[in-house]
Every structure is written in C-alpha cells, then in structure tokens.
C-alpha cells in the first residue's frame, strides 16, 4: 500500500510517500518520496515559533512539498482536468476561511492527475492547533478530490516508531516497552503493552525539555532552535577540558532526583541558569561551560528517571524518541548507563535524521493505524486538530 503522509504540527512542513509491503509491524517499507521544508530561518529572528506565521508558511509550502514528494515517487503527472461541481463545493466549504489556500488547492487538483495512493496519513496532534489544521485540511482536501481514505495520527507515536525504524523495517520490540519521548512540547515516560496501547507513567510538571534547551539558548544569546546550539557549545567545552566550577561557585540543580515518582521538572534548572548568569559577562568560555553544565544536569535527571522506571516496570525494551533525542550527550550517556545496569533491556535510538520532526514517521504511524482510516465524507467531520492529543487516548 502506498501512503502519502503529512506533518505540520510545528515548524516543519513535510510530505512523504512511503510504500508498505505487508502488514504492520512486519511490513517492509520503501521511501518513495520525502520532502521537508524547515521554517527555522523564518522563526530564527523571533527566537521561537509564532503559530500565525508558521500557519501562513505551511499554507504556502504544503502544495510544493506534495508535488516534490509525488515527483520523486514518480507519481506526479500534470494534466488539465476539472473537479466535479460537488467536490468543488465541498472543497470551498472545507476551506471557506482560507480563500487563498482553497484557490491554490483547486488549481493543484485541476492540474494534477490522481496519483496511485492508497492512504493519506496526517498528524492530528499534539502540536500547534493552527498549524495542525493546515495539514488536516490539506489531507481532507486530497481525500475529497481523489477519494482516498485518511487517518489522523498521533505525532508522539510517530516519534516512537521513528526510533525503531531501520529505514526498511520496524525492528522487533519486546513488550512491555518503556519510551522516553523528549521534544519541544513533551517530556514523557510511556509504557507500551503492544503497538497502539500505551500508558503514561511520568511527565514534566512544567517545561518540556526541548523548551528548556531553547530558553537557555536564548539566555545565552544563541539562535532558535537552541538544542543543537547548546549541544555544539557543550561539545566544545568538553573537548577543551573546560570546567564549570572554574567560572561558577556551585553546580546547577538536578530537580526531582529524590522524589518518589517518574515526573520531571525543568523550569528550575532554567531559572538556576538565569540567576547564575545574572551580572556575569557572557564570554565564549562562560557560554560553553553553561551549555555543558545544563546539558549534564538534564542528562542526569533523564537517566535517573529512566532507571527508576525500568526498575518499576518490567519493560523489556527502551525506546528514546523526539527531537531532543538528537542530542549526542543524552544518547551516549543513556546508552552507556542502561547497558551497564540493564544489559537485558534492548535499547532503541532513532537515526539522527529521523529524530526531529519528519513525515516518514507519520507514514509509519498511519500504517500502524490504517484500520482507523476514514473515507472523505466521514473524515470531514471526524478528524480534528487536537493540540493536546495524548498518546494514551
Ligand atoms: O520533535 P521536535 O523536532 O519537535 C517537536 O515535536 O517539538 O523537537 C524539537 C526540539 C526543539 O526544542 C529543539 O531545540 C530540540 O528538539 N533539539 C535538540 C537537539 N536537536 C533538536 N535538543 C538538544 N540537542 C539537540 N541536538
Ligand atoms: Zn516532534
């Protein structure tokens, strides 16, 4: 089955065409087309993602990304056709508040031959609702125009699947599994009984870890997104053998280490950074040691809670997922520590390029949930954006 997948939950506009041979989770997958546009350069100057701006960019970029993905899959063919009047009306009704988008879409449908696609998968949440709606409305429009079923999927389940994907297959995961999902909006520990059946055993009580990376980066005058910037400086500090304590009296706090639960808190570390650099000259060396110490502090907290969760659950596999899992320090230390203490537990880390937001993971989640797919008329009312969509729903 050929899946067209769409991701617009934050600041990446992504469309993929993935062919699945066989049933989930034993299928083999071929990536036929993959197009991703990152809005980072647009949001950089504002130091974060503005939903209204992000939405406008998604509207502008989705059709070009779809054309690009379809073209690489050799599924894009230009024609000159007309949509039946009924579909035309449905499309305008669907997009009545987005005049420009509706016109662009009509133009796209009238100039594009219906491709050989069996399923459309789209992120329904969690994420920014205005941007999620762009992807969802686009998916619904494709479904109306081409009579293809749509399935709305959970972005975090996508991250989880990306972490166990080897480029062709879903690796064999023994359940129960424990997943640590760390991104710009989430920090959660999820126990999986099987694919599709999840319970949350821990989460952040305040900031998501990615958000903390981004905010600390901003305090240090580094551009958005802060995670990779902090990571680079921290790496530099370590390779130069710099010490945090050469510049600061005490190390940063590691919150929640002694609490008897699996929750996290990152706003304390962030505030501690703010106080520590107050009235301090931010030299390159100071920035480097702060980045290193912040990275070490959050890594310590993550490792501690994952170990606790592995001890408390009988998880046989550990999966790390979400944008922050691109962080080498977190990956290396988790791997080393867990291998030492839980040698029986199979560890899964995403390939770097699938760590951050992408639409391949949405195709995988779509395939996993393909039995929930709906035809256009039902999809129109049943699939909605949910900024707080939970993986346990
Ligand atoms: O999963 P993702 O791409 O988008 C969301 O679903 O939120 O995650 C984005 C987050 C951002 O906060 C970004 O700073 C962080 O992931 N990130 C990193 C690294 N690469 C991306 N954080 C730490 N180290 C990295 N190398
Ligand atoms: Zn994400």
């Amino acid at each position: 089955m050929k899946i067209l997948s769409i991701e617009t939950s934050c600041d990446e506009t992504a469309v993929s065409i993935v062919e699945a041979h066989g049933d989930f989770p034993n299928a083999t997958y071929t990536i036929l087309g993959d197009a991703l546009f990152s809005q980072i350069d647009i949001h950089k100057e504002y130091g974060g993602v503005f939903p209204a701006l992000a939405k406008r960019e998604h509207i502008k970029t989705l059709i070009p990304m779809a054309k690009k993905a379809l073209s690489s899959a050799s599924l894009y063919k230009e024609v000159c056709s007309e949509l039946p009047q009924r579909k035309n009306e449905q499309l305008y009704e669907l997009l009545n508040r987005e005049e420009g988008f509706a016109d662009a879409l009509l133009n796209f449908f009238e100039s594009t031959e219906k491709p050989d696609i069996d399923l459309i998968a789209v992120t329904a949440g969690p994420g920014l609702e205005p941007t999620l709606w762009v992807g969802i409305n686009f998916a619904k429009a494709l479904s109306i125009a081409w009579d293809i079923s749509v399935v709305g999927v959970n972005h975090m389940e996508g991250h989880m699947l990306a972490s166990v994907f080897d480029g062709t297959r879903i690796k064999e995961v023994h359940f129960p599994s424990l997943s640590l999902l760390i991104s710009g909006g989430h920090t959660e520990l999820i126990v999986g009984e099987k694919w599709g059946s999840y319970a949350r055993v821990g989460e952040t009580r305040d900031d998501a870890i990615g958000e903390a990376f981004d905010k600390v980066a901003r305090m240090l005058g580094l551009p958005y997104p802060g995670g990779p910037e902090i990571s680079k400086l921290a790496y530099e500090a370590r390779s130069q053998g710099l010490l945090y304590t050469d510049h600061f009296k005490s190390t940063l706090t590691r919150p929640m280490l002694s609490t008897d639960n699996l929750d996290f808190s990152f706003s304390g570390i962030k505030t501690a950074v703010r106080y520590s650099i107050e009235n301090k000259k931010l030299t390159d060396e100071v920035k480097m040691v702060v980045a290193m110490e912040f990275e070490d502090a959050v890594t310590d907290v993550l490792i501690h809670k994952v170990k606790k969760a592995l001890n408390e659950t009988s998880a046989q596999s550990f999966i790390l997922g979400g944008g922050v899992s691109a962080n080498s320090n977190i990956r290396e230390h988790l791997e080393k520590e867990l291998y030492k203490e839980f040698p029986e537990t199979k560890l899964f880390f995403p390939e770097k390029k699938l760590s951050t937001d992408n639409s391949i993971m949405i195709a995988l989640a779509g395939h996993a949930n393909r039995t929930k797919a709906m035809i256009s008329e039902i999809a129109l009312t049943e699939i909605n954006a949910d900024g707080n969509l939970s993986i346990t729903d």
Side-chain angles (χ1 to χ4, degrees):
M1 101 177 326
K2 291 199 187 83
I3 305 166
L4 183 153
S5 57
I6 303 158
E7 159 62 37
T8 63
S9 70
C10 190
D11 58 350
E12 256 86 39
T13 315
V15 179
S16 305
I17 316 287
V18 176
E19 183 164 18
H21 311 265
D23 284 338
F24 182 88
N26 302 313
T28 54
Y29 297 91
T30 315
I31 318 285
L32 300 176
D34 182 26
L36 183 143
F37 176 79
S38 169
Q39 302 175 0
I40 283 176
D41 287 340
I42 294 153
H43 298 294
K44 227 171 198 155
E45 61 180 297
Y46 303 98
V49 179
F50 275 89
L53 185 58
K55 176 182 161 175
R56 205 182 67 196
E57 290 302 317
H58 284 302
I59 289 178
K60 212 159 73 186
T61 324
L62 251 183
I63 295 175
M65 288 300 112
K67 278 188 184 170
K68 191 172 166 198
L70 286 166
S71 297
S72 4
S74 306
L75 292 174
Y76 179 66
K77 192 165 170 228
E78 274 190 52
V79 287
C80 191
S81 66
E82 241 177 65
L83 274 191
Q85 186 59 23
R86 184 181 57 87
K87 293 191 177 195
N88 204 315
E89 282 164 14
Q90 270 183 322
L91 277 181
Y92 268 100
E93 202 182 331
L94 172 71
L95 298 156
N96 62 350
R97 276 164 296 150
E98 311 286 357
E99 289 292 345
F101 196 25
D103 288 342
L105 274 170
L106 260 184
N107 194 303
F108 173 62
F109 292 129
E110 295 191 338
S111 62
T112 308
E113 188 177 87
K114 177 187 166 173
D116 173 23
I117 295 287
D118 306 287
L119 177 69
I120 297 162
V122 61
T123 307
L128 303 170
E129 278 184 18
T131 68
L132 287 166
W133 272 118
V134 178
I136 290 175
N137 282 335
F138 182 58
K140 289 177 177 179
L142 297 182
S143 174
I144 292 169
W146 294 338
D147 297 307
I148 301 171
S149 299
V150 193
V151 61
V153 305
N154 185 300
H155 181 86
M156 301 315 284
E157 187 175 32
H159 275 303
M160 203 188 271
L161 288 168
S163 302
V164 300
F165 184 54
D166 72 2
T168 311
R169 302 183 70 97
I170 301 289
K171 296 179 201 164
E172 194 186 355
V173 173
H174 293 282
F175 290 98
S177 62
L178 176 76
S179 300
L180 173 65
L181 302 180
I182 46 178
S183 70
H186 288 79
T187 306
E188 50 188 10
L189 279 164
I190 304 290
V191 171
E193 287 308 322
K194 57 179 184 185
W195 289 122
S197 169
Y198 311 110
R200 185 177 296 99
V201 293
E203 65 189 320
T204 182
R205 300 213 171 155
D206 39 61
D207 290 355
I209 183 168
E211 200 180 340
F213 266 99
D214 296 337
K215 286 179 180 165
V216 167
R218 212 164 146 181
M219 291 177 212
L220 298 178
L222 304 168
Y224 172 86
E229 301 288 330
I230 296 263
S231 175
K232 258 186 266 167
L233 286 190
Y235 176 83
E236 198 48 40
R238 285 185 200 102
S239 35
Q240 292 186 23
L242 302 180
L243 291 177
Y244 183 76
T245 44
D246 281 348
H247 297 269
F248 296 91
K249 278 203 273 311
S250 57
T251 53
L252 287 175
T253 156
R254 268 78 170 152
M256 310 289 278
L257 283 195
S258 54
T259 53
D260 192 24
N261 57 52
L262 297 172
D263 286 344
F264 302 91
S265 163
F266 294 105
S267 80
I269 307 183
K270 178 193 70 188
T271 312
V273 172
R274 177 170 295 126
Y275 285 136
S276 68
I277 61 175
E278 233 172 28
N279 307 319
K280 188 120 191 157
K281 189 156 186 285
L282 283 179
T283 61
D284 287 348
E285 195 164 310
V286 166
K287 286 186 196 176
M288 279 191 252
V289 293
V290 170
M292 171 173 70
E293 173 65 8
F294 170 76
E295 202 176 61
D296 283 341
V298 297
T299 304
D300 284 351
V301 175
L302 292 178
I303 290 176
H304 178 83
K305 292 288 174 165
V306 168
K307 282 186 186 169
K308 188 168 163 61
L310 285 173
N311 278 320
E312 289 175 13
T313 61
S314 47
Q316 302 196 38
S317 316
F318 171 74
I319 302 169
L320 179 72
V324 181
S325 67
N327 185 281
S328 314
N329 195 58
I330 294 174
R331 285 166 88 111
E332 281 162 21
H333 283 88
L334 261 175
E335 187 163 15
K336 202 169 92 202
E337 294 280 319
L338 298 186
Y339 187 70
K340 214 166 53 193
E341 271 188 49
F342 302 89
E344 306 285 298
T345 309
K346 230 171 132 188
L347 310 179
F348 298 91
F349 297 97
E351 272 180 40
K352 282 247 165 134
K353 75 174 174 30
L354 289 184
S355 308
T356 47
D357 289 351
N358 63 84
S359 48
I360 290 171
M361 68 186 203
I362 302 309
L364 298 174
H367 192 230
N369 291 285
R370 72 200 175 289
T371 53
K372 296 182 197 152
M374 301 164 200
I375 55 146
S376 53
E377 268 78 10
I378 307 172
L380 274 182
T381 53
E382 292 291 311
I383 301 180
N384 294 297
D386 180 353
N388 298 315
L389 186 65
S390 166
I391 196 168
T392 60
D393 286 347

